[in-house]
Amino acid sequence: MTRLSLRWRLTLWYGTVLASMVAALGGVVYLLMKRELLNRTDWTLAAHAGMVQEQLAGVRSRDELAGRLSPQLLRHPAFDLRVIDAAGAELGRSDPFQDRGLPTPSPWPEPGQDVYESVRTPGRRRARVLSRVLDSGAGPALLQVAVPLDRSDRQLAELMLLLLLGGPLAVGSALGCGYLLARQALAPVDRMVATADEITATRLDRRIEVANPDDELGRLARTLNGMIGRLERSFEEVRRFTADAAHELRTPLAILRNEAEVALRVPRDSEQYRDCLENMLEEIDHLARLSEALLLLFRGDAGLGANRREPLEIHSVVEEIAEHIRVVATDHQQDLAVEACSPCRVTGNPEQLRRLVFNLLDNAVKFTPAGGRIEVRVGGAGGRVQIVVSDTGIGIAPEHLPRVFDRFYRVDSARSRRTGGNGLGLSICRSIVEAHQGTIELASEPGRGTVVTVNLPCSPGAHSQAPRHEPAGATA
C-alpha cells in the first residue's frame, strides 16, 4: 500500500485535530445553550409561581382557595396551572394541563422547596413543570406551574442544525487551507530533493540552496551541504589516493620490467645476472612494503586496525624498538637516547603500537644527518601517555607541515626515493594513533630538527610521570 505523502499526512493530522476541536466546541456550546435555556425557563416558572402564591396568600378555607383561582389566572397564555389539595382533589387547573397529562410528584416536595421536572407529554412534546407546596389556612395544597419547551427545543434544534452544517463546512475549508499551507511550507523540500537528485559522484560541487539558514529547513540544508562537502573531500582523497597508489605501484613494476628486458637482451655473465636479480629483489621489497602499508591503511579506514587489544607497557615497547633502531643510528653516526619515566601502561594493539614507534624512529634516523642526536621520551599524566620523539635533523619547511600526514605526500620526492620512503609512514602513524583514540602532533623547523608528540589514553589504574618537552637539539 502506497503511503501518503508528508503533505497529505500533515493535512489529515491537522484536519483530524481541527475536527475534534470543532466537535468538542460544538458540544460545549450546545450543552451551555441547553442549560441556559432551562435556567431561564425555571426562572420564569418560579416568578409565575410566586405571583400565584401571592394571590392565594391569606386564604382560610378550601372554598376560598378555589374561588381565588380566577379564570384569568388559570387561562394564562404562556403558563399552565394546577392546584390540588392533600387528598389529591383538584381545586383548579388550566385546561391544557389536563390535556398534556402532566404528572403529580410523589411524594410532595417539602414546604419551601421547589421541584423542577422536564416531562414528555403524550404528543411527544416536552414541558417543564414546577411543583411547590402552599401552606395556607385551608391546609396544604400543591401548586404546579408548567410551560411547554417547544420554543427552547426549536432553538436547540436550530443550533444543532447550524453546528452540523457549519462544522463540516469549517473543517473542509480548513483542510483545503491546510493543504495549501503544507504545500507552500514544503515547497523548499521539493527544491532540495530536485537539487539532491542532480548531485552525483561527478557533480559533488553542487550545493542545496539555503533560503533561511535559521529555520528548520535551513538547518537541514546546511547539514546536507556539510555532508556533501565531506563526501566531496572524501571522493577527492580517494581519487588522489588511487592515482598516487597507481603511480607508486607503476614505478617499481616498470623498473622490474626494464631490469628483466635488459637482462634478456644480450647474454651476460653470472655477476651481471646477480646484480640484475638483486635490483629486482630490491624493487620487490619496495612493492611488498608498499602493499603492506596500503593494507594497513585500508584496515584502519575500515575500522579493523586495532581489534585485538591488550594492556602493555609502552615504555618497554619504546625501549625495545629503540634498541633495534640504535644499530642503524650508530651506523649513521647518530646518538639515540631513550628516557622512560615510571611505567606507562596503555591498552592497544601491540603490533600496531610497535609499528608506530618504529615509523617515528625510522623517520628520525632517515632525516637526521651524521653527528645528530635523536631522543625519545615516554611519560604520562592526567590519564594520557605521551611519547615524544625529537631529532636534530634537517627539519620541515612550514609550508609542508599541514600536509605531512597526507598519504603519499613527500617533502622531497627524490630524497624519499633514496631513503626507501613511500610517503605513507606518517599517514600510518596517524591512522594507528586515531584507532587508539589518541592524537599526534608534529613541530619542525628547517635546519634545527623535528618533534613528534603522540598522546594515547592511559590504561585504568596506570600511573606515570609526564616527560619533559625538551628537543634533542635546539629544535622547535
Side-chain angles (χ1 to χ4, degrees):
M1 181 178 177
T2 304
R3 293 179 60 86
L4 294 175
S5 65
L6 179 60
R7 184 181 301 118
W8 274 110
R9 278 184 285 167
L10 285 175
T11 303
L12 291 179
W13 290 342
Y14 170 71
T16 302
V17 173
L18 181 63
S20 301
M21 294 178 63
V22 169
L25 181 62
V28 170
V29 170
Y30 181 84
L31 293 177
L32 289 177
M33 186 68 177
K34 183 178 180 180
R35 181 180 179 83
E36 179 63 20
L37 291 174
L38 203 58
N39 288 338
R40 290 184 180 182
T41 301
D42 292 346
W43 183 82
T44 57
L45 285 173
H48 189 72
M51 184 192 69
V52 173
Q53 188 174 2
E54 289 179 357
Q55 293 189 8
L56 299 179
V59 296
R60 292 184 295 274
S61 65
R62 183 174 182 277
D63 294 337
E64 184 182 1
L65 176 62
R68 290 199 181 184
L69 294 174
S70 62
Q72 291 78 11
L73 189 61
L74 298 176
R75 293 176 183 175
H76 195 278
F79 298 97
D80 299 333
L81 184 69
R82 181 172 68 175
V83 179
I84 60 178
D85 60 13
E90 289 185 346
L91 302 178
R93 64 170 173 82
S94 302
D95 292 339
F97 205 105
Q98 182 65 30
D99 298 339
R100 292 191 176 97
L102 300 178
T104 301
S106 180
W108 283 13
E110 296 294 331
Q113 178 186 11
D114 292 341
V115 175
Y116 297 92
E117 293 180 281
S118 295
V119 299
R120 190 172 294 280
T121 64
R124 307 299 299 171
R125 300 173 62 184
R126 295 195 319 127
R128 188 71 171 172
V129 180
L130 166 62
S131 300
R132 177 184 296 177
V133 174
L134 300 177
D135 190 10
S136 63
L142 180 65
L143 170 63
Q144 285 187 292
V145 182
V147 62
L149 294 177
D150 297 351
R151 185 178 180 182
S152 298
D153 290 345
R154 185 169 57 254
Q155 291 176 341
L156 290 175
E158 291 175 353
L159 176 61
M160 179 62 74
L161 180 63
L162 179 63
L163 293 175
L164 292 178
L165 294 179
L169 182 61
V171 172
S173 302
L175 280 175
C177 295
Y179 178 80
L180 295 177
L181 289 175
R183 182 178 179 181
Q184 184 67 22
L186 295 177
V189 176
D190 294 335
R191 292 195 293 271
M192 293 168 61
V193 171
T195 304
D197 287 339
E198 296 174 356
I199 297 175
T200 61
T202 58
R203 300 188 64 185
L204 287 173
D205 56 330
R206 295 288 305 276
R207 294 293 183 272
I208 296 173
E209 179 184 359
V210 182
N212 183 1
D214 297 326
D215 64 5
E216 291 80 359
L217 293 178
R219 292 198 296 272
L220 175 62
R222 285 192 286 114
T223 301
L224 292 176
N225 284 337
M227 183 187 66
I228 295 170
R230 292 191 294 274
L231 284 175
E232 184 181 17
R233 289 192 293 273
S234 298
F235 270 71
E236 182 61 30
E237 290 178 0
V238 169
R239 279 195 288 267
R240 185 172 60 249
F241 178 77
T242 304
D244 292 341
H247 176 75
E248 291 296 326
L249 292 172
R250 186 176 58 184
T251 301
L253 288 175
I255 294 175
L256 285 173
R257 182 181 179 86
N258 288 336
E259 291 287 344
E261 289 177 349
V262 169
L264 296 175
R265 189 170 300 161
V266 294
R268 301 177 184 274
D269 56 28
S270 58
E271 189 64 26
Q272 290 176 323
Y273 281 123
R274 183 181 181 84
D275 292 341
C276 181
L277 290 175
E278 287 178 351
N279 292 336
M280 294 176 69
L281 283 176
E282 182 179 348
E283 294 304 324
I284 290 174
D285 289 341
H286 178 72
L287 280 175
R289 291 194 300 272
L290 179 60
S291 300
E292 183 183 359
L294 291 176
L295 178 62
L296 186 64
L297 288 173
F298 169 77
R299 291 176 64 83
D301 292 342
L304 305 174
N307 285 338
R308 185 176 68 85
R309 299 192 178 195
E310 58 187 56
L312 73 160
E313 305 291 343
I314 192 64
H315 67 284
S316 299
V317 174
V318 171
E319 291 173 346
E320 175 188 347
I321 300 299
E323 193 63 27
H324 293 296
I325 295 293
R326 183 172 286 110
V327 178
V328 181
T330 302
D331 188 54
H332 287 72
Q333 300 178 359
Q334 299 164 343
D335 182 20
L336 175 59
V338 178
E339 178 184 343
C341 301
S342 55
C344 301
R345 178 176 296 177
V346 300
T347 301
N349 186 290
E351 295 179 3
Q352 291 196 358
L353 292 177
R354 286 189 175 88
R355 180 67 177 264
L356 167 67
V357 176
F358 177 85
N359 281 1
L360 295 178
L361 292 178
D362 186 54
N363 271 353
V365 170
K366 286 178 180 176
F367 299 105
T368 300
R373 179 176 175 80
I374 301 169
E375 290 185 357
V376 186
R377 296 182 295 278
V378 184
R384 310 288 289 183
V385 171
Q386 195 173 71
I387 306 171
V388 180
V389 178
S390 60
D391 62 60
T392 57
I394 58 177
I396 303 173
E399 63 270 21
H400 296 293
L401 290 178
R403 300 194 57 191
V404 292
F405 290 104
D406 291 352
R407 296 172 183 181
F408 294 113
Y409 185 79
R410 296 184 177 93
V411 175
D412 186 338
S413 300
R415 186 170 59 194
S416 297
R417 185 70 188 176
R418 290 195 304 271
T419 57
N422 51 28
L424 295 176
L426 288 177
S427 300
I428 292 174
C429 289
R430 184 174 65 176
S431 176
I432 293 173
V433 170
E434 291 179 349
H436 289 78
Q437 289 79 47
T439 61
I440 182 170
E441 299 174 352
L442 185 146
S444 184
E445 187 174 348
R448 305 192 66 180
T450 301
V451 178
V452 181
T453 305
V454 175
N455 286 286
L456 297 172
C458 189
S459 293
H463 175 71
S464 55
Q465 181 180 353
R468 298 190 305 272
H469 291 270
E470 296 177 355
T475 307

